Amino acid sequence: MRRLYRVRRALNYANLSTPLGLLVARAGRARTEPGPGGLVLAHGYRLPLPIAGAFTVGNVVLTRHGEGYLTGALLRHEARHASQYAACLGLPMLPAYGAAAVVSLLLSGHQAAWNVFERLAGLEDGGYPRRPPLWRRSRPRGRGPAPGPGPRGTAGS
């Protein structure tokens, strides 16, 4: 295993994010197996939240799907989240990610499109869309008042 993966694994155990991920996997009755780069893959997660095809807590990558789902670009995306846990010193990643999801939802109407953690992990690799912020979207024709000055002869406010 490469040195950076060993460092990430050690940091995520020390900062308690991987032990939490293992507890979440156990609570969700997921089957765990060793994965690449020091990750732990947890298949068959059964709890209803979070709503995602896959999610990561520390070095543990969880999915409701069976073996073979966590491959290629999606696994690389989730591995980047494991590195984010190490960089954020573990558990502070959870509220920081939640806040970033709320900001993204307010900016674009989607929880991931402008979430800094998802963008750094690779939106497309995670299966997320790129969306412009709400203020940059064109308004459909025929809705709302026409732009420009108001009716003639009215007093300004």
Side-chain angles (χ1 to χ4, degrees), residues 66-151:
E67 289 82 5
Y69 181 75
L70 295 171
T71 61
L74 178 60
L75 185 56
R76 286 189 301 275
H77 174 88
E78 297 301 331
R80 290 180 199 120
H81 284 314
S83 297
Q84 291 169 352
Y85 274 94
C88 289
L89 304 178
L91 302 180
M93 168 81 172
L94 295 171
Y97 183 93
V102 169
V103 168
S104 177
L105 193 59
L106 293 172
L107 290 176
S108 68
H110 190 276
Q111 72 278 4
W114 284 88
N115 180 324
V116 65
F117 296 103
E118 293 298 346
R119 290 176 80 83
L120 289 172
L123 284 176
E124 291 82 6
D125 289 348
Y128 295 116
R130 287 202 178 268
R131 289 190 175 176
L134 292 173
W135 64 87
R136 286 238 172 122
R137 294 188 190 165
S138 61
R139 290 187 3 190
R141 292 182 182 220
R143 293 200 169 188

Side-chain angles (χ1 to χ4, degrees), residues 14-15 18 30 39 41-43 53-55 65 67 93 106 113-114:
N15 67 32
T18 294
L39 297 174
L41 307 182
H43 303 280
F55 67 99
H65 303 282
E67 289 82 5
M93 168 81 172
L106 293 172
W114 284 88

